[in-house]
């Protein structure tokens, strides 16, 4: 059975992500296709829908801020870091439920930079994308995007998120019940319409888009033309439910795009990481074996040599030290007997022990000399 798609809802604070999630949940329940919901926002107080996995069950946002002396954004990031250490367990739970759930909805923090640009956000996103078809839904507050500068800021942020995650993205213009998103779609498809809006704003008395800013946004609009061509854009109203069907059609389209374009790239990157990891393991093993070989050669007393066969009648000698021992232990035929206390098993040379004893004690055995020295010590008058 195919894996259920993951819809990650991201967007600026106040764009209506929570209300959008609630509308998606209600729509799927109405169709008898209840989703599996994951909440990754540790700072949210009230969530108007049921959650199956909630980051707040694992970490306490206020306690983290107090314990680590952090601000709001630092607390969110630290909570995500702590939660990311258990992401393998979350993936395991989702994989067990994969056969019974049609879709997985993931709600993210309102401080989008904490999730998108932090290491923990990347870990969570990569873990989900490597196991399930993952689609990003970038939610935009339509009434606040009527200005060309605000519109361009949102588009640049969406472009950076797409470049960072490398996942299929859907631009969701939310709150269309308050402001129609036709102007934004026109700016994305018609360059001249955006230029006209720029000139109209330049004629205003405040002059916010005059000069450098107008030229900059003009250049950016040209640069983002290719970015617009690879996006699916939908207009929805989380309050009325308008456009939700169009959103799910876009999701199905992006899932096919994920399987066709993104999944091969992910598998290629995964294979490269595994090959690199195997190479590193092999290098570490080679260094370990080399160190063990050097340590063994420096600490060993006897070095193994090749077998040396002297003659057919003589036994083989395994090591050089064995050859020396055999020469000392067995005298050759015709040689006179040599006392061990003078030659110490070696022919023609005095042992170091014998020479040392002769240098210290001219006569007598070492034991006798020691006894005499001890007796003289006792007889000395005190």
């Amino acid at each position: 059975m195919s894996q259920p798609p993951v819809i990650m809802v991201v967007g600026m604070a106040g764009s209506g992500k929570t209300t959008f999630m609630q509308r998606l949940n209600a729509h799927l329940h109405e169709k008898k296709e209840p989703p599996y919901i994951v909440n990754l926002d540790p700072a949210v107080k009230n969530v108007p829908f049921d959650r199956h996995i909630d980051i707040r069950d694992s970490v306490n946002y206020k306690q983290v801020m107090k314990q680590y002396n952090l601000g709001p954004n630092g607390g969110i990031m630290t909570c995500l870091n702590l939660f990311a250490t258990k992401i393998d367990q979350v993936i395991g739970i989702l994989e067990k439920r994969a056969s019974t759930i049609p879709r997985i909805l993931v709600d993210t923090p309102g401080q989008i930079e904490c999730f998108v640009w932090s290491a923990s956000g990347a870990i969570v996103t990569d873990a989900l994308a490597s196991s399930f078809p993952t689609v990003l839904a970038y939610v935009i507050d339509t009434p606040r995007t009527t200005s060309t500068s605000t519109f361009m800021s949102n588009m640049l942020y969406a472009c950076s998120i797409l470049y960072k995650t490398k996942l299929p993205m859907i631009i969701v213009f939310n709150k269309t019940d308050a402001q129609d998103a036709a102007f934004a779609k026109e700016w994305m498809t018609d360059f001249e319409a955006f230029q006209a809006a720029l000139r109209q704003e330049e004629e205003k008395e405040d002059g916010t888009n005059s000069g450098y800013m107008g030229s900059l946004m003009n250049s950016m609009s040209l640069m983002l033309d290719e970015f617009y061509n690879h996006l699916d854009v939908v207009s929805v109203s989380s309050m009325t439910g308008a456009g939700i069907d169009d959103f799910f059609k876009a999701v199905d389209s992006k899932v096919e795009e994920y399987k066709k374009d993104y999944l091969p790239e992910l598998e290629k990157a995964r294979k490269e990481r595994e090959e690199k990891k195997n190479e590193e393991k092999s290098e570490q093993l080679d260094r370990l074996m080399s160190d063990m070989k050097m340590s063994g050669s420096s600490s060993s007393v006897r070095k193994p040599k090749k077998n040396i066969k002297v003659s057919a009648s003589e036994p083989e000698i395994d090591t050089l030290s064995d050859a020396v021992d055999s020469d000392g232990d067995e005298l050759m035929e015709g040689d006179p007997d040599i006392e061990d206390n003078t030659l110490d098993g070696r022919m023609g040379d005095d042992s170091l022990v014998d020479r040392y004893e002769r240098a210290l004690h001219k006569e007598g055995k070492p034991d006798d000399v020691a006894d005499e020295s001890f007796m003289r010590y006792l007889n000395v008058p005190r």
Side-chain angles (χ1 to χ4, degrees):
M1 184 177 179
S2 60
Q3 297 284 62
V6 175
I7 303 173
M8 298 188 66
V9 181
V10 297
M12 298 291 187
S15 60
K17 296 188 302 299
T18 303
T19 311
F20 179 66
M21 283 282 297
Q22 182 183 12
R23 176 57 62 180
L24 295 180
N25 183 38
H27 183 81
L28 292 174
H29 272 87
E30 184 181 354
K31 287 191 170 184
K32 308 299 181 182
E33 298 177 358
Y36 200 87
I37 299 179
V38 180
N39 176 44
L40 297 181
D41 189 355
V44 64
K45 291 184 178 181
N46 299 317
V47 180
F49 47 83
D50 294 333
R51 290 86 52 206
H52 298 86
I53 298 177
D54 198 332
I55 188 175
R56 297 177 299 172
D57 297 335
S58 303
V59 291
N60 190 313
Y61 172 66
K62 291 185 178 180
Q63 289 297 326
V64 168
M65 289 179 60
K66 183 178 180 180
Q67 181 177 354
Y68 295 98
N69 194 22
L70 299 171
N73 288 348
I76 293 175
M77 188 174 297
T78 304
C79 290
L80 285 171
N81 292 339
L82 296 173
F83 184 79
T85 60
K86 304 295 184 181
I87 189 61
D88 56 334
Q89 299 180 11
V90 176
I91 297 300
I93 294 173
L94 294 177
E95 289 178 344
K96 290 180 180 178
R97 305 289 193 275
S99 60
T100 60
I101 54 179
R103 289 177 178 85
I104 301 172
L105 303 181
V106 181
D107 192 13
T108 59
Q111 288 74 10
I112 188 174
E113 62 277 1
C114 297
F115 180 81
V116 175
W117 299 109
S118 64
S120 56
I123 291 172
V124 172
T125 304
D126 293 343
L128 290 172
S130 61
S131 303
F132 304 94
T134 306
V135 178
L136 294 177
Y138 183 74
V139 182
I140 297 177
D141 189 349
T142 307
R144 295 185 180 179
T145 318
T146 54
S147 171
T148 56
S149 57
T150 308
F151 171 81
M152 186 57 61
S153 299
N154 271 292
M155 292 300 105
L156 290 175
Y157 216 111
C159 182
S160 63
I161 293 174
L162 178 64
Y163 180 78
K164 178 68 166 56
T165 60
K166 297 181 176 61
L167 291 173
M169 177 181 286
I170 302 173
I171 299 294
V172 181
F173 286 103
N174 195 16
K175 304 181 183 180
T176 54
D177 56 305
Q179 174 66 52
D180 190 5
F183 72 95
K185 294 182 178 179
E186 185 181 10
W187 288 352
M188 295 177 68
T189 56
D190 190 351
F191 175 75
E192 294 182 357
F194 185 75
Q195 294 297 314
L198 274 177
R199 288 192 298 269
Q200 184 178 359
E201 291 188 359
E202 288 176 358
E203 295 174 357
K204 293 181 179 180
E205 295 180 359
D206 56 6
T208 54
N209 289 337
S210 61
Y212 172 75
M213 289 300 298
S215 176
L216 178 62
M217 284 191 290
N218 186 14
S219 302
M220 287 180 179
S221 62
L222 289 173
M223 178 194 67
L224 292 176
D225 184 61
E226 185 67 20
F227 168 68
Y228 296 150
N229 293 333
H230 292 81
L231 289 177
D232 283 4
V233 182
V234 295
S235 302
V236 301
S237 173
S238 299
M239 293 297 295
T240 63
I244 297 299
D245 289 329
D246 295 336
F247 172 76
F248 281 110
K249 290 179 182 178
V251 169
D252 295 338
S253 174
K254 287 300 180 181
V255 167
E256 296 300 324
E257 181 179 338
Y258 169 89
K259 296 178 181 178
K260 179 181 178 182
D261 299 331
Y262 289 85
L263 186 59
E265 293 294 330
L266 289 175
E267 292 178 349
K268 181 180 178 181
R270 186 187 308 162
K271 184 178 180 181
E272 291 177 354
R273 287 195 300 267
E274 291 178 355
E275 291 178 353
K276 185 177 180 180
K277 187 183 295 184
N278 292 333
E279 291 177 0
E280 292 177 353
K281 288 183 179 179
S282 179
E283 292 177 359
Q284 292 176 0
L285 181 60
D286 292 341
R287 287 196 297 267
L288 177 62
M289 296 300 294
S290 177
D291 293 342
M292 291 177 63
K293 183 182 295 184
M294 293 177 62
S295 176
S297 61
S298 61
S299 61
S300 61
V301 177
R302 296 184 177 182
K303 299 180 180 181
K305 299 292 183 178
K306 294 182 179 180
N307 293 339
I308 304 174
K309 193 170 184 180
V310 179
S311 64
S313 61
E314 295 181 358
E316 294 183 358
I317 301 174
D318 294 334
T319 62
L320 184 60
S321 58
D322 292 340
V324 175
D325 293 340
S326 63
D327 290 342
D329 294 340
E330 297 181 2
L331 298 177
M332 298 180 63
E333 185 178 356
D335 289 343
D337 294 338
I338 301 176
E339 296 181 357
D340 291 339
N341 62 350
T342 57
L343 295 182
D344 193 28
R346 289 178 293 182
M347 296 184 294
D349 290 323
D350 289 343
S351 66
L352 291 176
V353 176
D354 292 339
R355 282 182 285 178
Y356 180 72
E357 290 177 352
R358 287 198 300 269
L360 292 179
H361 314 291
K362 297 297 184 181
E363 295 179 356
K365 294 182 180 180
D367 294 338
D368 297 338
V369 175
D371 294 339
E372 293 176 0
S373 300
F374 184 68
M375 292 300 296
R376 285 196 301 271
Y377 173 77
L378 293 177
N379 296 329
V380 172
R382 294 291 191 273

